[in-house]
Amino acid sequence: MAETVPLPVPSARALLKERDYLFFWVSRWTGGFAAQIQSVAMGWQMYALARLTHTVKESSFLVGMIGLAAFIPVFLLTLPAGEIADRHDRKKVLLVCYAGEVATVLTLAVATWRGAASVPMLLIVGFLFGAARAFFNPASTALGPMLVPRDLLPRSIAWNSLAWQTASIIGPAAGGLLVATSPAWAYFTTFALYGVAAACTLAVRKSGQPVVNPGSRWTLMKEGLAYVWNQKIVFGAISLDLFAVLLGGATALLPVFARDILHVGPQGFGLLRSGPAIGATVVALLLAANPIRKKAGVFMFAGVATFGVATCVFALSKSLALSVAALAILGGADMLSVYVRQTLVQLVTPDAMRGRVAAVSSVFIGASNELGEFESGVAARFLGPVGAALFGGVGAVIVTGSWAFLFPALRKADRLE
């Protein structure tokens, strides 16, 4: 039997010819930039307010509570959010979500400007922001593949990640500078950026309306859950993200490390927040230019293991330079594993199912990020910030080995085609 010759991978120039995708990409970048500034401002403001009346450990716990507040609506709204993304125009869903995000950040901006911001307000806004993101993530994830030919999908995923990661480099640094001036200015800047992101979404001409399968809403939601459970590559990929990053969420403690361990202030905090995105951007550029051809599963597990080791190095570091370097390696390793996971999931998922699968995936990702922040805050309450970060890094390495054993099909995944 003749050996199958893989089709050539389209160049980046082919992606640049897709007008609607370019507007989508700019929207993704601008929205990511805004979200990073908002996250930096809320974390720093929460810790600063908490330290007025609480100890370092107690304040660390309250920073983690923002993650829990944002995760709860993601968890509760996952199934209806996925069903909506598979039934309604995905562009319109995104625009409604942007409106919700604008409302939350404008509330914080005005309250901070008037000196009325408080710990309870930050937690409430975190909850409302999480509700908007619960619907945003499935719709955005499902809309992207509708804007490019299938042969451009792996490269577009790399460029989507590149948009987020480059925004994540500039966002934390800009957020640190803005917070050093005034948290209110950080929120007003975020407000303007969300407006630009919404305008770019409006500029997309292609329809965002998916082909709707017959059946009730509950039937469609059950189909999405069943598909994720039965497709072991999909289930293994998104659950790996949940448990590995859930344990390795040291970035949630960066306000604590910046202020009370490394003593580098808000400017240093912005630099620390940029560290993971710097490494992720370098890896995303490499993947965008040279997509993975073989041994995708091996690359993915190697990325998660490296993520855990780098987290441990960061936990023990007493130097700003070493901490930033460890965070950069952490971010690059995470980018590698995320790229493989997202490409595998989107390639094997039919378009009519993408919203629901993306919704389930988003709750896992939300758990690994927002709930991971809560886990780090709780661990810091009992182990201290250094012990919490070290615990998470070791846990991520253990999860890597466990998932490689439990999901052999995921470990043996070869080509991303």
Side-chain angles (χ1 to χ4, degrees), residues 19-391:
R19 174 196 176 277
D20 286 334
Y21 174 76
L22 293 180
F23 275 107
F24 172 78
W25 190 91
V26 174
S27 174
R28 187 179 180 89
W29 186 90
T30 310
F33 187 28
Q36 288 296 320
I37 294 177
Q38 183 174 352
S39 176
V40 167
M42 289 182 67
W44 183 265
Q45 189 175 28
M46 171 65 86
Y47 191 68
L49 290 172
R51 285 290 282 125
L52 296 175
T53 55
H54 296 80
T55 66
V56 171
K57 289 185 177 180
E58 291 169 344
S59 300
S60 301
F61 173 77
L62 288 172
V63 172
M65 286 295 292
I66 291 181
L68 179 62
F71 169 72
I72 289 174
V74 173
F75 177 77
L76 295 177
L77 298 172
T78 292
L79 294 180
E83 186 271 336
I84 285 175
D86 280 342
R87 184 183 291 271
H88 299 283
D89 189 317
R90 292 159 180 172
K91 289 192 300 181
K92 293 180 181 179
V93 175
L94 290 181
L95 290 173
V96 173
C97 293
Y98 277 129
E101 291 173 344
V102 164
T104 61
V105 77
L106 189 59
T107 299
L108 283 178
V110 174
T112 303
W113 185 265
R114 295 180 176 179
S118 63
V119 169
M121 174 178 286
L122 287 168
L123 293 175
I124 292 171
V125 169
F127 179 89
L128 296 175
F129 181 78
R133 300 302 290 186
F135 291 90
F136 180 92
N137 290 327
S140 178
T141 302
L143 177 62
M146 299 177 71
L147 306 179
V148 297
R150 182 178 175 83
D151 59 350
L152 282 174
L153 183 57
R155 194 177 291 277
S156 71
I157 291 172
W159 279 96
N160 289 345
S161 297
L162 181 62
W164 174 261
Q165 298 301 341
T166 52
S168 298
I169 290 177
I170 304 172
L177 293 173
L178 288 168
V179 166
T181 303
S182 167
W185 281 113
Y187 295 134
F188 281 122
T189 301
T190 301
F191 167 77
L193 289 169
Y194 280 140
V196 174
C200 289
T201 302
L202 278 171
V204 174
R205 294 174 180 170
K206 288 184 179 179
S207 173
Q209 178 66 52
V211 177
V212 181
N213 287 333
S216 66
R217 285 183 168 84
W218 177 240
T219 299
L220 293 178
M221 288 188 281
K222 286 194 298 182
E223 284 180 358
L225 286 174
Y227 182 85
V228 171
W229 176 256
N230 293 325
Q231 291 287 335
K232 296 306 179 185
I233 287 183
V234 174
F235 180 72
I238 63 178
S239 61
L240 175 64
D241 183 86
L242 167 64
F243 289 102
V245 185
L246 172 65
L247 292 170
T251 53
L253 300 174
L254 289 183
V256 186
F257 277 83
R259 179 166 176 169
D260 289 310
I261 295 177
L262 298 174
H263 306 287
V264 293
Q267 290 81 5
F269 171 53
L271 184 60
L272 289 171
R273 281 297 304 263
S274 297
I278 292 172
T281 299
V282 171
V283 174
L285 284 170
L286 292 173
L287 291 171
N290 302 286
I292 292 175
R293 303 292 183 85
K294 296 181 179 180
K295 299 183 178 179
V298 173
F299 277 106
M300 181 186 64
F301 281 108
V304 180
T306 303
F307 173 87
V309 173
T311 300
C312 294
V313 174
F314 167 76
L316 299 174
S317 171
K318 301 298 181 182
S319 161
L320 177 61
L322 179 58
S323 296
V324 172
L327 289 170
I329 294 173
L330 175 156
D334 187 47
M335 178 69 251
L336 176 61
S337 63
V338 166
Y339 167 80
V340 175
R341 290 199 302 271
Q342 289 185 351
T343 305
L344 282 173
V345 170
Q346 293 197 32
L347 283 176
V348 303
T349 303
D351 182 71
M353 191 75 69
R354 279 200 176 104
R356 284 163 286 170
V357 172
V360 176
S361 178
S362 69
V363 77
F364 278 60
I365 293 171
S368 64
N369 293 327
E370 282 81 11
L371 196 57
E373 293 178 9
F374 174 68
E375 178 273 331
S376 296
V378 172
R381 179 67 179 84
F382 296 100
L383 302 176
V386 173
L390 187 61
F391 171 79

